[in-house]
Amino acid sequence: MTKKKIADYQSHLQDVLDAPEGAHIAALFDFDGTIIAGYSATAMLWEKIKRREMTAEEVVETVNVMAQYSTGAMGFSGLMTGAAKFMKGVTEDSYFEFGEELYEKHIARKVYPEARALIEAHRAKGHTIAIVSSATIYQIEPTARDLDIEHVLCSQYEVENGEFTGNIIRPLCFGEGKVMAAENLAASYSLDLDQSYFYSDSYDDIELLERVGKPRPLNPNTKLREAAREHGWPLEKYESRGQGKPVDYVRTIYATGSLIGSAIASLPIWALTGSQREAMNFSTGLFGDIATALTGCELEVTGEENLWTSRPCIFVFNHQSKADVMILAKLIRRDMGGVAKKEVRDTPVIGKLMELAGTVFIDRANAGSAIKAMAPLIDAVKNDGKSIVIAPEGTRTLSPKLGPFKKGAFHMAIQAGVPMVPIVIHNAGDVAPKNEFLMRPARVRIDVLPAVDTSKWSAATMNEHVAEVRGMFLETLGQAEEEDALDTLVNEPKAPVKKAAGTRRATKAGAPSKRPAAKKTTARKKPASRKTGTKKVVSKKSFAKQPVNRSTRTKKTAADQSTKTEAAE
């Protein structure tokens, strides 16, 4: 991201932060093309084709319907009606599961970081935030949960007794239907639409754009761009997600390959001095410098002095992106060892180079072998003065939200008798989110916190130490209040709930549903992998995975305005 784009991006956020405060102001967001790059329906269709869950006849008919819609021969209602008939008899729970997997594999990495920041800016002003989309809750829900958006107004399929009937609920959340949904939300929550915002990429949303006081075309298509210029509406376009440019592919390939180049450059040092350690130190720092420069990754570091004042130590960081490797190499530079999953060791060349640099590969599925494998790292700290770099979360997260901490790093700090230094990475996902190959330019904010004294730690008080350090990360990331709110939601007493007949009541967009929602998320029952009786499910093999661990679940659809955000167990 160039300096000019960064300045424009910050200026746009400042416009929101300069706005009046109050929950009476709504910030309404379209979903496809606005919050995420591309279209979730396309990802859903390709995933179903990939899994061979559609017959050749269904594929042909679907393509035909989409072609008619794109040429204007069919309206959105016809498109949704065509899609609905293929779903008759499919269980709704299986579609929620499908939506979760779609989010993890495809959609999470498509969320625009600029849109995320924009939503946070509205939240900072106390505005009421909602997604208003023609897509369905199954496509939207996981992203809404990730972004902490409670209100989701969307199109719906009719459901009876937990199964789709093959019909749609009218009016759909499209065109004038979006206006109706927004007005219903406004009536329910005393919102002033004349002071409210609506962000959209499509001219299909012109009715709602004209209805609100602050229309904001975002990533607009050609027709909306022309309309915006006629109305004098401010325009904005994001390029941080979606199809990359050729230069993005080149920079990504060269940045990854620079690990090998840096290692080769260090060979003369090893040959002439006989010191593998000095060669690896040179290679590490060089890789960090080259890779961040090639990708355009600019580091904005606060507390940089804390990287050096307490070595050797255990560096702990929150793992957001594959870009973390080059970021940490640039920051720490020398005398470091690390931990990685065993599969990385099998990567040609790179796995061997990481092993030579002092990386220990562990089997996450076998705690006993992992502890044994990390024993040499303790010796490296005690005898060689090396520092260890480890991510307590264990794996990359799908979003900037901090995951639970494992205890391995804390046990290492006690055994080695060294302090722990937290490295808090705010937005490495802007460079490359999880599951994304491309790396794009971005300015990454990092806070290196003062060393934490571990001399009085013990195994008996381990949980307290984990909570203390994780609390530092939450506070620095600005997620502490959110975490407190979740804890309150999980632990508050729950009134008995009387469940309405059926699974989801079909109602008009914006109208309350009689279906209550539990405060606490429970894992959905996995659907069977074959047709049983009259019930069908959408997945054949992918649902054999363990249930997704959800932090919150949003169930406030257009037909469910009274539902509260659910918290994970």
Side-chain angles (χ1 to χ4, degrees):
M1 187 178 292
T2 65
K3 291 184 178 180
K4 182 180 184 303
K5 288 182 181 177
I6 291 171
D8 291 344
Y9 173 30
Q10 292 173 339
S11 175
H12 184 75
L13 291 180
Q14 193 60 49
D15 287 343
V16 176
L17 294 175
D18 288 341
E21 297 182 357
H24 65 289
I25 297 175
L28 310 176
F29 288 81
D30 181 38
F31 185 63
D32 294 307
T34 303
I35 290 178
I36 68 169
Y39 298 93
S40 55
T42 303
M44 179 176 282
L45 176 62
W46 280 114
E47 185 66 19
K48 291 177 73 173
I49 292 174
K50 180 181 175 181
R51 297 178 180 184
R52 299 181 180 179
E53 291 169 2
M54 298 180 69
T55 65
E57 180 183 355
E58 289 174 337
V59 172
V60 170
E61 188 167 348
T62 299
V63 171
N64 180 49
V65 168
M66 292 176 68
Q68 291 185 60
Y69 174 71
S70 63
T71 58
M74 176 183 292
F76 183 74
S77 178
L79 179 68
M80 288 291 289
T81 299
K85 71 177 186 178
F86 293 132
M87 298 170 62
K88 185 175 182 180
V90 173
T91 63
E92 187 186 30
D93 271 359
S94 70
Y95 247 73
F96 273 117
E97 292 286 355
F98 184 48
E100 292 288 354
E101 292 195 10
L102 201 69
Y103 171 73
E104 290 188 13
K105 294 173 66 174
H106 301 286
I107 296 178
R109 60 189 170 92
K110 295 179 180 292
V111 176
Y112 286 111
E114 300 94 334
R116 188 185 293 275
L118 186 59
I119 290 166
E120 287 304 315
H122 279 292
R123 183 170 289 114
K125 302 301 292 186
H127 298 164
T128 298
I129 304 170
I131 293 176
V132 187
S133 173
S134 57
T136 66
I137 190 65
Y138 319 105
Q139 298 156 252
I140 301 171
E141 181 192 46
T143 305
R145 186 175 68 246
D146 168 35
L147 297 171
D148 294 317
I149 297 178
E150 186 179 8
H151 305 287
V152 174
L153 317 179
C154 61
S155 298
Q156 298 175 83
Y157 298 118
E158 186 180 66
V159 176
E160 289 182 1
N161 299 318
E163 296 180 6
F164 296 111
T165 65
N167 299 319
I168 57 175
I169 307 301
R170 301 177 188 276
L172 292 167
C173 198
F174 181 83
E176 189 62 33
K178 283 195 176 183
V179 178
M180 294 174 61
E183 289 179 339
N184 284 338
L185 182 70
S188 299
Y189 291 90
S190 302
L191 306 177
D192 184 354
L193 292 182
D194 292 332
Q195 295 188 57
S196 296
Y197 300 77
F198 177 47
Y199 299 89
S200 174
D201 70 309
S202 176
Y203 186 81
D204 291 336
D205 292 332
I206 192 68
E207 291 95 336
L208 185 52
L209 286 164
E210 292 177 336
R211 173 64 183 87
V212 299
K214 297 180 179 180
R216 295 292 184 264
L218 191 57
N219 309 318
N221 58 20
T222 302
K223 195 171 182 180
L224 178 56
R225 188 182 302 112
E226 293 173 356
R229 287 170 179 163
E230 291 176 3
H231 287 81
W233 295 338
L235 294 168
E236 183 124 19
K237 181 175 176 60
Y238 300 153
E239 296 181 348
S240 60
R241 292 291 183 266
Q243 185 64 38
K245 300 175 181 177
V247 68
D248 294 321
Y249 288 91
V250 172
R251 75 168 77 248
T252 300
I253 293 169
Y254 271 87
T256 303
S258 67
L259 177 61
I260 300 173
S262 299
I264 294 173
S266 71
L267 292 179
I269 297 176
W270 190 352
L272 295 174
T273 67
S275 173
Q276 178 183 336
R277 180 167 178 171
E278 285 305 316
M280 288 299 102
N281 285 341
F282 176 81
S283 176
T284 299
L286 184 62
F287 164 66
D289 292 337
I290 293 176
T292 53
L294 284 171
T295 57
C297 177
E298 301 177 18
L299 303 187
E300 182 181 313
V301 185
T302 302
E304 190 168 2
E305 67 279 3
N306 295 321
L307 291 167
W308 303 98
T309 55
S310 301
R311 297 198 187 191
C313 64
I314 306 296
F315 287 108
V316 288
F317 70 100
N318 53 315
H319 199 1
Q320 296 184 342
S321 167
K322 66 180 181 182
D324 294 340
V325 176
M326 66 182 185
I327 290 171
L328 292 167
K330 184 175 179 65
L331 291 175
I332 300 172
R333 306 196 71 82
R334 60 180 296 114
D335 299 330
M336 58 185 285
V339 177
K341 58 184 180 181
K342 66 176 184 178
E343 290 80 6
V344 176
R345 181 170 48 194
D346 299 327
T347 306
V349 183
I350 291 177
K352 187 60 178 179
L353 289 175
M354 292 179 67
E355 188 173 14
L356 288 172
T359 301
V360 167
F361 302 96
I362 62 172
D363 181 0
R364 291 176 182 166
N366 189 329
S369 68
I371 293 172
K372 184 178 180 180
M374 288 192 289
L377 292 178
I378 305 298
D379 294 335
V381 175
K382 289 181 176 180
N383 303 328
D384 301 330
K386 282 192 173 184
S387 296
I388 306 304
V389 186
I390 188 168
E393 294 164 294
T395 188
R396 277 179 276 168
T397 55
L398 285 167
S399 77
K401 288 185 178 180
L402 192 68
F405 275 14
K406 294 178 171 58
K407 299 177 182 178
F410 298 84
H411 284 294
M412 290 178 66
I414 293 174
Q415 294 172 34
V418 295
M420 178 174 282
V421 177
I423 300 177
V424 184
I425 303 174
H426 288 264
N427 59 313
D430 291 3
V431 179
K434 186 174 183 179
N435 298 327
E436 179 63 79
F437 169 73
L438 288 182
M439 290 194 279
R440 292 179 168 90
R443 179 177 295 173
V444 179
R445 294 185 298 116
I446 297 166
D447 284 288
V448 185
L449 306 186
V452 179
D453 182 14
T454 66
S455 60
K456 296 182 181 179
W457 285 10
S458 69
T461 56
M462 182 63 70
N463 289 339
E464 297 174 17
H465 310 315
V466 173
E468 175 191 0
V469 174
R470 187 169 183 274
M472 294 176 182
F473 276 85
L474 288 169
E475 185 70 29
T476 306
L477 290 167
Q479 298 175 14
E481 291 183 5
E482 172 189 320
E483 188 91 352
D484 290 342
L486 266 180
D487 290 342
T488 301
L489 189 60
V490 170
N491 296 318
E492 69 180 6
K494 301 175 181 61
V497 177
K498 183 178 180 181
K499 186 173 181 179
T503 301
R504 184 177 294 273
R505 184 172 178 265
T507 57
K508 293 183 179 181
S513 167
K514 290 185 178 180
R515 183 192 178 193
K519 296 281 187 181
K520 194 172 182 181
T521 299
T522 55
R524 290 184 176 274
K525 185 177 180 180
K526 294 183 192 176
S529 59
R530 63 181 187 277
K531 185 173 178 180
T532 305
T534 60
K535 293 187 179 181
K536 293 189 291 182
V537 297
V538 298
S539 183
K540 296 179 180 178
K541 58 182 178 180
S542 60
F543 292 160
K545 291 182 177 180
Q546 292 299 315
V548 178
N549 180 22
R550 307 175 177 89
S551 57
T552 57
R553 176 178 284 283
T554 302
K555 286 295 181 63
K556 190 163 285 189
T557 65
D560 192 2
Q561 291 297 333
S562 61
T563 306
K564 301 296 182 182
T565 303
E566 300 178 3
E569 293 182 351

